Amino acid sequence: MSTAEVIPESPQVSDIEEVELITRAAWHYYNDGLTQNQIADMLGLSRIKVSRLLEKGRQTGLIELRINSPFEGCLGLQQDLIGAFGLADARVVPAVEGLAAPPRIGRAAASLLMQQLVPNDLLAIGWGEATSTTLRFMAPVFPQSHISLVSLTGGVSAYIGNTGLYGPQNFAHLIPTPLRVSSPELAEMLRIEPYVHHVLEMAITARTALIGVGSVARSASLVRYGYCTNDEIELFTRRGAVGDLLGHFYDRDGAILDLDLHRHLIAVTPDDMRRIPSVVAAAAGPEKVEAILGLLRGKLANTLVTDEETARDLLRRQT
């Protein structure tokens, strides 16, 4: 909710009659909720004159606006994140005691994506908890708006069910392979299989992508789905890994590490991800801060959806 305060005096507005008009216009506009046309009729002025009075009141300090909302601080944090990391956009949800972050992050990401997507659009999707939660909020929208989905990685089981995509869907194009296979040779053979190649190529034609941010914690999604072991994660961490993008591990500056694992992956590469104009990363939590920092420093995503506490940590540790 927003309120307006009219300051009794302003040294920049010397005409007492104008001060009175600004005060009356502001009171009726902000407190009574009247339109500028209604105020103009009431005061015997033109609508343009009322608009100019309100603008002059704001510019001179005669009118001060105050927003009484838990989102007020979040809006400031969004702008700080955009400025600090050169982002195209950001969404920050307020900290709420007793409520889990993932559903609120998912809802905020879904809202942002629905503003970006248009009918008959294509959305490229990664996987992980935040991505799955977001897609569950959006699932009813896809068939209604004729929006198609395309996966950025193999690993069908990570998409079906967890994302609201129950069984085959004619609007979802999934790579029919595991994310990680046993050898680089097999990975290369699968990547050039016509259908797999087609889906990988389709993914990088999307205007918008939604990704999670993988951490190097023992609870990481790659470990839970059996694509990496805890011992491997520890080794990657010792080599400087702070997070992963579609199974590709990167360091604190967002540089992709030279790991044999990467040659075993069936996934869009980080270089190809840069061809997608809007890459939306959804993530929050203290265990994700270093991973998000690396992602943003490396320009591996240009839009972030997170929560208030994580945003403050990112800004404190950005250097």
Side-chain angles (χ1 to χ4, degrees):
M1 173 180 181
S2 66
T3 61
E5 292 182 339
V6 181
I7 309 306
E9 294 181 4
S10 171
Q12 296 175 336
V13 184
S14 56
D15 186 337
I16 190 64
E17 292 183 1
E18 189 176 36
V19 170
E20 181 184 359
L21 281 174
I22 292 173
T23 303
R24 290 184 183 279
W27 184 270
H28 293 311
Y29 188 68
Y30 291 106
N31 292 331
D32 292 341
L34 300 184
T35 67
Q36 292 184 14
N37 283 328
Q38 289 172 318
I39 297 166
D41 291 341
M42 183 180 293
L43 299 180
L45 305 170
S46 68
R47 190 199 64 78
I48 295 298
K49 177 65 174 177
V50 171
S51 178
R52 288 174 179 167
L53 288 171
L54 292 171
E55 181 61 25
K56 187 169 185 178
R58 289 190 291 266
Q59 289 180 353
T60 60
L62 188 63
I63 300 171
E64 290 185 353
L65 295 177
R66 183 177 68 247
I67 300 173
N68 299 312
S69 164
F71 284 92
E72 180 185 9
C74 293
L75 294 174
L77 286 171
Q78 288 176 188
Q79 294 307 309
D80 291 343
L81 287 170
I82 290 169
F85 296 103
L87 299 176
D89 203 353
R91 291 291 185 277
V92 177
V93 299
V96 179
E97 181 127 12
L99 292 181
R104 292 182 297 115
I105 298 299
R107 191 180 295 276
S111 175
L112 182 147
L113 287 168
M114 285 188 283
Q115 293 171 32
Q116 291 189 4
L117 296 169
V118 298
N120 301 308
D121 221 338
L122 176 66
L123 174 64
I125 55 173
W127 55 283
E129 184 178 12
T131 304
S132 299
T133 304
T134 301
L135 293 175
R136 282 198 295 271
F137 281 116
M138 298 180 70
V141 175
F142 299 133
Q144 294 171 11
S145 299
H146 303 288
I147 293 170
S148 297
L149 303 179
V150 58
S151 64
L152 290 161
T153 73
V156 174
S157 62
Y159 292 95
I160 295 295
N162 288 337
T163 59
L165 305 176
Y166 299 100
Q169 303 282 355
N170 59 11
F171 61 87
H173 308 274
L174 305 181
I175 300 172
T177 70
L179 169 62
R180 179 184 184 179
V181 296
S182 58
S183 71
E185 293 76 20
L186 177 57
E188 184 58 32
M189 287 175 60
L190 288 171
R191 289 190 207 105
I192 62 175
E193 278 293 312
Y195 185 76
V196 175
H197 180 74
H198 169 74
V199 178
L200 287 169
E201 287 293 306
M202 182 190 297
I204 58 179
T205 68
R207 294 187 309 112
T208 307
L210 170 67
I211 60 169
V213 181
S215 74
V216 289
R218 287 182 173 270
S219 59
S221 296
L222 286 174
V223 175
R224 292 203 313 273
Y225 280 96
Y227 289 121
C228 284
T229 67
N230 282 319
D231 287 345
E232 286 178 311
I233 293 291
E234 182 176 354
L235 174 62
F236 301 156
T237 303
R238 291 181 180 278
R239 295 187 60 178
V242 298
D244 83 90
L245 169 64
L246 308 178
H248 297 84
F249 285 84
Y250 54 83
D251 66 17
R252 69 181 304 278
D253 296 315
I256 304 300
L257 298 175
D258 182 14
L259 301 176
D260 181 62
L261 164 70
H262 298 163
R263 290 177 277 279
H264 294 245
L265 299 177
I266 313 297
V268 171
T269 66
D271 281 343
D272 280 339
M273 283 293 293
R274 298 180 195 279
R275 296 165 60 181
I276 299 175
S278 176
V279 178
V280 179
E287 76 284 358
K288 297 273 189 176
V289 171
E290 284 299 324
I292 298 171
L293 278 172
L295 188 88
L296 299 184
R297 287 173 181 148
K299 308 297 182 185
L300 299 172
N302 56 14
T303 298
L304 176 66
V305 181
T306 191
D307 66 8
E308 187 174 1
E309 187 175 325
T310 305
R312 295 188 189 282
D313 279 351
L314 291 170
L315 292 166
R316 277 196 297 266
R317 298 162 65 178
Q318 64 177 296
T319 54

